[in-house]
C-alpha cells in the first residue's frame, strides 16, 4: 500500500549552481508525474532557499532513492533533505493522501 511522504529540501546558498541545474532537476521530477510525485515546488523568494515535494511510495526507501537520484542532490544544490511520512487527518485531500481515494475526487 502506498503512503504519502513529504520531502523538505534546504538548498545551499549557491544560486548559480541551482539555476544551472534547475531544468534537469525539473525534467527529472516531471518523469515522476506518473502518480509518484504529487506536487513539488520551491519556497517563495522571501523564504530561505529550498522546496517541498510530496510523493506517494510504498516505503521511505523508495523516496530516499528518488532524492538520491535527483540532479539537485547529485550536483550539490540540496544541503539537507528531510523525508517524513505524512498522514493528514483533515482537509479535502486527506482521504486521497491516506490511500482512501484518489487525488482530485
Amino acid at each position: 500500500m502506498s503512503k504519502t511522504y513529504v520531502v523538505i529540501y534546504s538548498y545551499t546558498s549557491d544560486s548559480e549552481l541551482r539555476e544551472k541545474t534547475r531544468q534537469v532537476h525539473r525534467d527529472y521530477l516531471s518523469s515522476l508525474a506518473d502518480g509518484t510525485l504529487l506536487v513539488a515546488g520551491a519556497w517563495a523568494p522571501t523564504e530561505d532557499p529550498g522546496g517541498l515535494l510530496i510523493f506517494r511510495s510504498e516505503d521511505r526507501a523508495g523516496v530516499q532513492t528518488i532524492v538520491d537520484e535527483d540532479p539537485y542532490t547529485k550536483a550539490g544544490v540540496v544541503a539537507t533533505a528531510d523525508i517524513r511520512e505524512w498522514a493528514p487527518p483533515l482537509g479535502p485531500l486527506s482521504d486521497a493522501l491516506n490511500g482512501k481515494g484518489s487525488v482530485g475526487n
Side-chain angles (χ1 to χ4, degrees):
M1 180 174 139
S2 289
K3 301 173 188 170
T4 301
Y5 291 89
V6 173
V7 179
I8 301 169
Y9 277 169
S10 294
Y11 301 151
T12 66
S13 60
D14 190 342
S15 59
E16 186 175 315
L17 177 61
R18 189 167 58 248
E19 182 61 35
K20 179 180 165 186
T21 316
R22 180 173 287 136
Q23 190 57 53
V24 68
H25 161 73
R26 286 182 174 175
D27 291 345
Y28 172 71
L29 292 179
S30 292
S31 77
L32 302 171
D34 60 355
T36 302
L37 174 68
L38 300 181
V39 66
W43 301 126
T46 56
E47 300 292 334
D48 289 337
L52 176 72
L53 305 93
I54 302 177
F55 296 99
R56 292 289 292 168
S57 179
E58 294 299 316
D59 55 31
R60 184 182 305 266
V63 177
Q64 184 65 61
T65 298
I66 291 168
V67 169
D68 291 345
E69 294 299 315
D70 188 332
Y72 263 12
T73 302
K74 289 183 169 188
V77 172
V78 176
T80 64
D82 186 16
I83 301 172
R84 299 191 182 212
E85 186 178 342
W86 188 42
L90 302 172
L93 298 178
S94 63
D95 280 350
L97 293 172
N98 288 306
K100 298 176 186 168
S102 61
V103 176
N105 289 338

